[in-house]
Amino acid sequence: MSNNKSNDDAGAMPERKPPVLTPAPTLNMEALRLSPSYAKAMATTKVQSTVPVDKPANQLFFRVHPTNTMDVAALENKADDQWYLVMPEVAMHMDSGSVKPKTLYMWMDRSGTYGIWPCGLPLDDGTDYTAWQSAHTVCAAAMTRWLRIAWNKSAGGYDIIYLSDAVQVPEPIWPEIDFLALLEKAFKGRVIADLNHPVLRRLRGEM
């Protein structure tokens, strides 16, 4: 009998004990709070790799830098749809149909993207256009207020749409870059320093 009982005990399943449940740790929500210094520690610097040479798009509110301006001789090359700066000693040997005096203005939109707007100046013969005058008026206004522009074909100039005073927008934070260095980036590889420049040779039909 004892042998049979031993065999029965050997084949019996061990008694299962209920699992011990460990309570989940209480989440410290206060630990999620950012410290006042977090934003400063995470601050980044935005540096554009390219700088557009064009007026701001009509849909964008923008500002113009109050001092970063320069009068230059410039050429708009229709073949590649690019602006070129022309050295004064070269420009004096070119006709006014190719090279024109421009004021370069630095602008910035609300996203922080910045660019250069070439605005026409009166020609040596006194020729001036309403559109050129209008562009300078826009830039002067944008030095102190956020605005966007819309072309008014009937008036031959730009309409100015100011940002409502009810919209609280901070003053622009201009990049810490020298204006000449900015122009060098904007016109990289597009400075005409002699009359044998490929763009001028193409205009003369030599290429």
Side-chain angles (χ1 to χ4, degrees):
M1 291 293 293
S2 60
N3 290 339
N4 291 337
K5 185 177 181 179
S6 298
N7 291 337
D8 291 342
D9 291 343
M13 296 292 292
E15 182 181 357
R16 294 185 178 180
K17 297 181 179 180
V20 178
L21 299 180
T22 303
T26 302
L27 181 60
N28 182 3
M29 299 301 294
E30 182 63 26
L32 296 173
R33 188 189 301 276
L34 292 179
S35 67
S37 62
Y38 175 83
K40 183 177 181 180
M42 293 298 292
T44 59
T45 301
K46 175 181 176 180
V47 178
Q48 290 180 206
S49 59
T50 60
V51 179
V53 181
D54 200 356
K55 65 180 182 294
N58 290 355
Q59 298 84 2
L60 297 177
F61 284 93
F62 67 94
R63 291 286 293 274
V64 168
H65 197 285
T67 60
N68 282 353
T69 66
M70 180 183 291
D71 292 346
V72 298
L75 180 151
E76 185 178 14
N77 186 26
K78 301 294 185 180
D80 59 8
D81 196 28
Q82 296 282 1
W83 282 97
Y84 289 75
L85 296 182
V86 183
M87 298 296 290
E89 60 269 23
V90 177
M92 64 184 299
H93 295 290
M94 299 173 59
D95 63 86
S96 59
S98 300
V99 63
K100 293 181 172 62
K102 299 282 183 179
T103 298
L104 303 180
Y105 292 98
M106 179 185 180
W107 57 265
M108 176 186 286
D109 66 25
R110 290 181 61 183
S111 73
T113 298
Y114 47 88
I116 300 297
W117 185 359
C119 297
L121 290 169
L123 304 181
D124 290 340
D125 61 5
T127 301
D128 199 359
Y129 293 98
T130 303
W132 296 354
Q133 298 169 7
S134 176
H136 290 286
T137 299
V138 167
C139 289
M143 290 180 182
T144 58
R145 293 189 62 181
W146 289 98
L147 56 82
R148 65 181 178 87
I149 54 176
W151 179 251
N152 187 326
K153 184 177 180 180
S154 298
Y158 295 101
D159 289 339
I160 300 176
I161 299 93
Y162 290 102
L163 186 65
S164 171
D165 292 335
V167 181
Q168 299 298 317
V169 179
E171 289 293 294
I173 300 177
W174 299 99
E176 295 182 0
I177 181 173
D178 179 75
F179 187 51
L180 295 181
L182 182 69
L183 294 181
E184 184 177 358
K185 180 182 290 188
F187 293 93
K188 185 176 182 179
R190 303 199 309 277
V191 176
I192 299 176
D194 64 78
L195 290 170
N196 289 319
H197 191 280
V199 169
L200 300 187
R201 294 187 62 192
R202 290 189 184 95
L203 290 176
R204 295 195 297 263
E206 299 172 2
M207 293 180 63

